[in-house]
Amino acid sequence: MGVLKYLASSHLLADSSEYRHGNLVFFDMSGFFVLSYPARIGTIVNYIIGTVALFYLSKNTIKYKRAARTFHNLNGEVVKTDSGIWINAFDYSGLFHVTPHIPELNDTVRAPCEDAPFCGYPWFFPVHFLLRKNWYLPTPPPPLSENMVFKLASREEMPWGATRLNFEVKGPSHMTVYVRPHDPFVLSSWSLGDGIPVPSNGGDYFVYYSHGLQAPVWKFWIELKGSDDYSDGMVTVAVASHYFFGSNQHSPQLDALLHKFPDWSFPSSWVSTYDLFVY
Ligand SMILES: *[C@@H]1O[C@H](CO)[C@@H](O)[C@H](O)[C@H]1NC(C)=O
C-alpha cells in the first residue's frame, strides 16, 4: 500500500526524463512509510551497513497466570522477567559490518522468538515479518521514573455468548498492544476502530495507541468466543510502552552501546517495556 501511494503521488512518474540514475529501490514498512533512492545509492547503502539500526531497551516482564481457572483477576504469578537491548538492523547484511566495532554484537546474541505474540518483543509497528534478524543483549533494567499500569478492570459474559474483557491502561504517549487468542477462542469484537478486529501477518492482533502528554486512563475492551473450557486461558494480551523523549528515553547501558557505533552508522534508540498476561 505505501509503495502504491508513493508511486501514485511521485513527481518522478510525472517527469521521469530527469531521472537517469537507474532503478528506484523501494522499502515499504507495511504501508507506514516508504524509503526510496536510486539503485546506485542503494548499493552504496548496502555496503555501509548498519546505516539504520533501531534499538530498544526492553524491560521484558513476562507474566503468566499459572492457574488458568482464576483468570478473572490479575494476581498472576511472574514466570519470567528479563531486560536487555533489542536490536533491529534495517539492512539485509544485518550487523556484519558493525560486529568488528562492537564484538559483543554477534550471532551468539540473536533474539530467540518467544512463544508469545510478536515473538515477545515490543514492536512499534507490526513489521516482524520484514525485519527477521534481531539481537538481544542482556543488560540491567532501564531506570524508568514511572511505570505503565495495565489492568483488567472487569470481565463480563455477554448475552451473545462472548466474554468481554475491559482493560484500563495508564502509560506514556506511545503504547502498543498485542493480542493472541488461544485456539479454539477467537477475537470476535473489540471497542477499537469499527469493532471488527483484523489480524496482522501471522495471526496476532496489533494495536497502536498514542496520546498527548496529559491524557486520561485509556479504556478499551475485547470480546472472545469459542469454548466453555477456559482451563488454558482464552487469550494472551501483551502491552508495550515506548519512551521516545525525556529522561526515560535513556539508560546508561544503552547510551554506552550507542557511543561504540561507528560514525557512519545512524542508530535510533528508545526505551520500551513489555508486559504479558494470560486471561
Ligand atoms: C559474541 O558475543 C558474546 C556475547 O556478547 C561475547 O561473549 C563473545 O565474546 C562474542 N564473540 C566474539 C568472537 O567476540
Side-chain angles (χ1 to χ4, degrees), residues 63-179:
K63 296 174 180 174
Y64 286 102
K65 314 280 294 185
R66 185 174 17 195
R69 286 182 205 277
T70 57
F71 54 79
H72 310 293
N73 66 48
L74 272 169
N75 299 322
E77 199 185 58
V78 175
V79 295
K80 174 175 169 166
T81 175
D82 70 6
S83 58
I85 298 177
W86 181 50
I87 298 145
N88 286 289
F90 275 12
D91 191 276
Y92 77 91
S93 59
L95 293 179
F96 184 77
H97 298 281
V98 170
T99 299
H101 299 266
I102 313 175
E104 65 265 38
L105 288 186
N106 60 51
D107 269 352
T108 65
V109 291
R110 283 285 291 275
C113 181
E114 310 273 357
D115 181 20
F118 297 92
C119 286
Y121 290 97
W123 290 100
F124 187 60
F125 291 131
V127 293
H128 53 294
F129 58 96
L130 291 175
L131 304 177
R132 288 176 188 280
K133 283 190 178 176
N134 329 106
W135 295 261
Y136 192 54
L137 205 56
T139 66
L144 283 172
S145 66
E146 61 188 23
N147 279 315
M148 178 174 54
V149 178
F150 182 86
K151 69 175 187 188
L152 177 66
S154 62
R155 177 182 179 279
E156 297 170 77
E157 296 300 334
M158 310 309 286
W160 43 91
T163 303
R164 179 180 289 189
L165 303 176
N166 293 290
F167 294 104
E168 292 183 4
V169 193
K170 186 86 180 138
S173 61
H174 293 77
M175 292 183 279
T176 38
V177 173
Y178 321 97
V179 180

